[in-house]
Amino acid sequence: MSQYATHSVKQKNIADLQAMKQAGEKISSLTAYDASFAGLMDRAAIDVILVGDSLGMVVQGHASTLPVSMQDILYHTQAVSRGCQLAFIIADLPFMSHATPLLAAENAALLIQQGGAQMVKLEGACLAEIEFMVQQSIPVCAHLGLLPQSFYQQGKYAVQGKEEKEAQRILAEALAVEQAGAQMLILECVPASLAKQITQQLTIPVIGIGAGVDCDGQVLVVYDMLGIGLATPPRFTKDYMQQTESIFAAIQAYVDEVKSSCFPSLSHSF
Ligand code: KIV
């Protein structure tokens, strides 16, 4: 078999997602933490699955994402990649797992080689870490805006970039992470107008969560959009089980609403 042979079913890749941005086709994404949910999402034609460190809260019951370890993310990434054949898989680098460029690259390699992820995500404008990983051929998704791993520093989960100076900082960080080689950006809890400006200025796909409808795509924590999260759901999420009769139908409805720009509405945006 040629080293360039492709599998009979084609898993989405970064070039497909880049082409979707260029064509103006919205990218749908949800978090997943196990094979069964990943399989359902594949059937519903989700574009991107994120094995997020949100698992610390919604699966493990912690009050924040900070206790999540590399072993936890690796275990759940392996489960997701076993259940998924079509969606592009991103795995989160948890708290302190990307504290230096070398540590970030070593942990990213584990998530790719042993976990089956196609890309890793890290919170913050960690330019040196992004540049080093990209030099090692590791695909990187940056994450800006609200950074849950900085919860103790920030003291609360709050919308970021409401003040002009802060908005300019987030825009500058977005341009810098793209320049450093990130191939995707997740923007969390920023005003829709700022997210629109960033999405227009960047050439890489920008996926929003609480960032308005003008991003290139949307991501939600799956337990939130199924109405089974532990805490009061954040304003930017929507419970799709209220209008459907099965988890599969809820995921399908979410994909449809993202693709048609019906979600997020103004009431889910800042
Ligand atoms: O961990 C996670 O689920 C995330 C999303 C909220 C973007 O980072």
Side-chain angles (χ1 to χ4, degrees), residues 13-14 17-18 27 29-31 48-53 88-94 97-98 104 108 111-112 117-127 129-135 137-149 173-174 176-188 202 204-209 216-219:
N13 59 45
I14 187 62
L17 300 171
Q18 186 68 53
I27 298 166
S29 177
L30 284 173
T31 64
V48 176
I49 292 178
L50 169 66
V51 187
D53 61 0
F88 185 76
I89 303 173
I90 305 177
D92 240 343
L93 283 167
S97 69
H98 53 92
L111 296 175
I112 290 171
Q118 287 151 282
M119 177 176 263
V120 296
K121 172 169 89 59
L122 80 173
E123 290 186 16
C126 306
L127 303 183
E129 285 70 24
I130 295 172
E131 266 170 21
F132 187 70
M133 284 193 282
V134 171
Q135 274 166 17
S137 304
I138 295 168
V140 176
C141 174
H143 179 157
L144 298 175
L146 174 62
L147 306 177
Q149 289 173 16
E173 286 177 352
V177 295
E178 175 172 276
Q179 183 68 30
Q183 288 176 287
M184 200 182 297
L185 170 64
I186 287 187
L187 264 186
E188 181 164 357
L202 263 53
I204 58 175
V206 177
I207 312 294
I209 173 164
D216 299 309
Q218 301 294 328
V219 61

Side-chain angles (χ1 to χ4, degrees), residues 155-175:
K156 57 182 178 179
Y157 297 116
V159 181
Q160 306 291 305
K162 286 200 285 193
E163 306 297 330
E164 182 54 25
K165 200 169 155 205
E166 210 189 7
Q168 287 307 322
R169 175 187 52 83
I170 296 171
L171 172 60
E173 286 177 352
L175 291 165

Side-chain angles (χ1 to χ4, degrees), residues 8 47-48 50 82-83 147 194 223 240:
S8 50
D47 298 308
V48 176
L50 169 66
R82 283 193 286 263
L147 306 177
L194 173 61
Y223 290 9
Y240 282 86

